[in-house]
Amino acid sequence: MRTIASLEELESLQGQEVAVSDWREITQQQVNLFAEATGDHQWIHIDVERARRESPYGAPIAHGFLTLSLLPALMQSALHMPGVKMGVNYGLNKVRFPAPVPVGSRVRGRIKLLKVERLDPLPNAPELVGAQSTWEVTIEREGSDRPVCVAESISRRYS
């Protein structure tokens, strides 16, 4: 867990890998729940027997967007910013899924801070100091030399 105590400290970390998250196992239950939530019931994700027989991976694989949806949890397990009163997901610049995530795999995030920009005060909360951070998060699968997701994520934080 990396603690970043101030906006000034955050700014000083631009261009650096600042944290690596804990490992997290991808279960079939997570994949099934994600399929229910999104309506993506493609057999390669949810039909265990067919995936074992017909998939080139020999097992069901997680949805790419399930992998992407782990970003907040991976970042939260790796970064602590005690002075932040409010954090907002502002979006993504780009996302790639270079390799699959077979069910039962463990993944973790490598978190690099690309850029920090200070924000103008919020109209209804001028006392809050804001900053927009652009993060490159590379999600890797244990035992694989290729990342499973590379995403440029933008967040806003207010102290």
Side-chain angles (χ1 to χ4, degrees), residues 89-158:
N89 173 4
Y90 196 65
L92 300 160
N93 284 338
K94 58 184 174 180
V95 178
R96 299 289 182 267
F97 303 106
V101 179
V103 168
S105 297
R106 291 187 347 143
V107 298
R108 71 176 176 187
R110 293 193 162 280
I111 303 163
K112 180 178 181 179
L113 179 59
L114 299 178
K115 182 168 62 170
V116 178
E117 302 167 271
R118 293 196 184 223
L119 298 171
D120 291 333
L122 295 171
N124 27 339
E127 71 284 0
L128 294 178
V129 175
Q132 179 171 295
S133 302
T134 303
W135 304 89
E136 179 184 79
V137 182
T138 302
I139 301 177
E140 56 189 16
R141 180 172 60 93
E142 190 174 42
S144 177
D145 58 347
R146 288 183 26 206
V148 297
C149 179
V150 180
E152 194 170 293
S153 176
I154 305 166
S155 61
R156 289 187 166 186
R157 303 196 182 298
Y158 298 90

Side-chain angles (χ1 to χ4, degrees), residues 10-24:
L10 183 67
E11 289 173 323
S12 76
L13 297 171
Q14 291 179 91
Q16 298 177 44
E17 179 177 280
V18 296
V20 178
S21 76
D22 297 331
W23 289 104
R24 205 178 159 108

Side-chain angles (χ1 to χ4, degrees), residues 55-100:
S55 163
Y57 312 111
I61 60 171
H63 304 74
F65 284 124
L66 168 57
T67 305
L68 179 65
S69 74
L70 296 174
L71 256 64
L74 294 174
M75 290 184 74
Q76 190 173 30
S77 79
L79 294 171
H80 176 61
M81 296 184 207
V84 173
K85 294 180 181 172
M86 178 177 68
V88 179
N89 173 4
Y90 196 65
L92 300 160
N93 284 338
K94 58 184 174 180
V95 178
R96 299 289 182 267
F97 303 106

